[in-house]
């Protein structure tokens, strides 16, 4: 049984009031349109609604697959849809899957590299890299990788690989580099430019404060191996060098923890060494003067025929 048209579209109407037939079979390209009189693909579904979707795919079984398979020839290549509670990989989830093929997310056909690739051979994800070898590989240009807390407003962190120096830079939301990791040594270099600072003042005498510090040994509660550590207790250091301590906010949870800038102790140590060197030099000056006096006394005694025993 056939329903045919002679070199003309076939339209299915429920009323002659429709400007657009509910379904059209196009004579020009042998395509089917639902909600459109001019389908440009084998099946085109079109709607003009702000409250409903365009099409529903439903499986009456909650254990089944409600979605669409995609095939080339006689082999299925991929699928998109919801998998139910049956014998599926990761049941009860919406999935985009492939049959031993990479999955690529492409925003335009004018670029040679997909925006994101999931590589099937090693289960890796590439962003800007269509052939990732690492679990996550990110290729970037003028902008790096941003991390932002939704409660932080416009503030964020950016990880940026500098192509000229190979440094891994830490940047703020404004693009300002505040530090970087050296490519060869891995050493972290913090920003310390004079033009970024104000209210620069010499550190006051520090040795008495240094003597108040109490280095200790300790174990971390979370360390299963119970490795012994050396260091300080942040709450004790806060009373002596508060500049080195990041204390919890006043309204923080009781379990909030203190943090300490251990690298800042290098500056304190240098200042202490300088103060000790000043003390040593003054003591040396006194010793030299006293030695000169002793030499003069010994010389005078020698003239008088009095010699001191060695």
């Amino acid at each position: 049984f056939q329903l045919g048209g002679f070199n003309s579209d076939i339209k299915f109407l429920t009323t002659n009031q429709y400007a657009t037939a509910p379904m059209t079979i196009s004579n020009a390209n042998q395509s089917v349109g639902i909600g459109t009189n001019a389908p440009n693909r084998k099946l085109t579904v079109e709607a003009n609604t702000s409250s409903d979707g365009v099409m529903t795919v439903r499986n009456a079984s909650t254990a089944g697959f409600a979605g669409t398979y995609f095939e080339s020839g006689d082999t299925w290549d991929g699928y998109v849809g919801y998998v139910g509670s049956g014998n599926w990989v990761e049941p009860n989830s919406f999935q985009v899957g492939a049959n031993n093929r990479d999955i690529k997310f492409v925003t335009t056909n004018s670029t040679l590299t997909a925006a994101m690739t999931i590589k099937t051979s090693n289960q890796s994800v590439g962003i800007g890299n269509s052939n990732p070898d690492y679990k996550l590989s990110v290729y970037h240009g003028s902008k790096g990788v941003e991390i932002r807390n939704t409660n932080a407003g416009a503030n964020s962190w950016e990880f940026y690989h500098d192509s000229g120096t190979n440094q891994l830079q830490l940047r703020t939301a404004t693009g300002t580099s505040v530090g970087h990791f050296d490519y060869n040594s891995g050493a972290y270099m913090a920003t310390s430019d004079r033009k970024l600072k104000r209210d620069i003042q010499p550190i006051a005498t520090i040795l008495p404060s240094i003597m108040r510090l109490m280095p200790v040994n300790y174990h971390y509660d979370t360390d299963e191996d119970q490795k012994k550590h050396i260091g300080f207790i942040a709450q004790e250091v806060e009373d002596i060098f508060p500049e080195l301590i990041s204390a919890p906010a006043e309204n923080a949870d009781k379990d909030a923890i203190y943090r300490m800038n251990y690298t800042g102790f290098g500056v304190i140590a240098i200042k202490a060494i300088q103060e000790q060197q000043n003390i040593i030099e003054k003591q040396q000056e006194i010793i030299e003067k006293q030695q000169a006096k002793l030499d003069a006394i010994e010389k005078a005694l020698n003239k008088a025929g009095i010699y001191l025993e060695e």
Side-chain angles (χ1 to χ4, degrees):
F1 178 80
Q2 297 182 1
L3 176 64
F6 184 71
N7 292 328
S8 62
D9 296 345
I10 299 176
K11 296 180 181 292
F12 295 81
L13 300 171
T14 57
T15 172
N16 60 5
Q17 301 298 316
Y18 286 126
T20 301
M23 186 169 75
T24 296
I25 301 176
S26 171
N27 174 65
N29 56 15
Q30 299 296 293
S31 298
V32 176
I34 297 177
T36 175
N37 288 332
N40 56 6
R41 295 290 188 271
K42 278 301 179 183
L43 175 62
T44 301
V45 181
E46 183 177 313
N48 184 9
T49 175
S50 60
S51 59
D52 284 321
V54 176
M55 183 173 65
T56 298
V57 177
R58 178 181 288 117
N59 188 330
S61 170
T62 58
F65 171 63
T68 302
Y69 284 97
F70 300 89
E71 298 182 353
S72 58
D74 295 328
T75 303
W76 76 272
D77 299 302
Y79 65 88
V80 176
Y82 180 83
V83 295
S85 58
N87 187 24
W88 304 92
V89 176
E90 301 290 345
N92 299 312
S93 62
F94 186 86
Q95 299 183 9
V96 177
N99 183 18
N100 293 321
R101 282 171 167 74
D102 295 347
I103 298 176
K104 295 182 179 290
F105 297 83
V106 181
T107 58
T108 172
N109 60 6
S110 62
T111 179
L112 298 178
T113 303
M116 185 170 75
T117 296
I118 302 176
K119 188 176 178 180
T120 185
S121 62
N122 58 10
Q123 298 295 291
S124 297
V125 176
I127 298 176
N129 177 14
S130 60
N131 189 29
D133 291 322
Y134 301 91
K135 276 301 178 184
L136 175 62
S137 174
V138 180
Y139 284 15
H140 69 78
S142 60
K143 296 288 187 179
V145 178
E146 181 188 37
I147 296 179
R148 176 179 300 195
N149 189 312
T150 55
N151 297 320
N155 297 321
S156 66
W157 284 100
E158 178 189 0
F159 291 90
Y160 180 85
H161 176 206
D162 188 292
S163 60
T165 62
N166 272 331
Q167 300 166 351
L168 175 59
Q169 294 185 359
L170 294 178
R171 294 181 172 185
T172 62
T174 61
T176 302
S177 177
V178 294
H180 71 260
F181 292 93
D182 183 80
Y183 183 76
N184 295 299
S185 67
Y188 177 71
M189 307 290 286
T191 298
S192 186
D193 196 303
R194 174 181 289 273
K195 61 177 172 284
L196 300 176
K197 303 175 182 181
R198 58 185 175 85
D199 302 331
I200 300 173
Q201 298 292 331
I203 298 177
T205 300
I206 212 168
L207 269 176
S209 298
I210 287 284
M211 297 305 297
R212 293 172 56 197
L213 289 174
M214 184 179 293
V216 293
N217 291 117
Y218 52 86
H219 297 92
Y220 279 105
D221 292 336
T222 55
D223 186 0
E224 294 181 356
D225 297 330
Q226 288 299 291
K227 179 181 177 181
K228 184 180 288 187
H229 294 262
I230 60 172
F232 299 102
I233 304 302
Q235 288 88 333
E236 296 176 358
V237 175
E238 184 180 28
D239 294 335
I240 307 170
F241 296 111
E243 304 93 335
L244 300 180
I245 302 300
S246 175
E250 292 183 0
N251 59 349
D253 185 88
K254 63 180 179 64
D255 293 327
I257 59 175
Y258 281 71
R259 292 177 173 83
M260 184 158 50
N261 175 17
Y262 270 99
T263 59
F265 283 98
V267 177
I268 292 175
I270 290 174
K271 182 65 169 62
I273 291 171
Q274 290 173 340
E275 291 179 14
Q276 283 185 330
Q277 185 62 30
N278 287 335
I279 294 172
I280 292 171
E281 290 176 357
K282 288 179 180 178
Q283 290 175 339
Q284 183 64 30
E285 184 179 349
I286 293 172
I287 291 172
E288 290 175 356
K289 287 180 179 180
Q290 290 177 338
Q291 185 64 47
K293 289 180 180 180
L294 290 174
D295 291 342
I297 292 172
E298 184 177 9
K299 186 175 181 181
L301 291 173
N302 290 342
K303 278 187 177 184
I306 302 173
Y307 298 93
L308 299 176
E309 294 183 359
E310 293 292 337

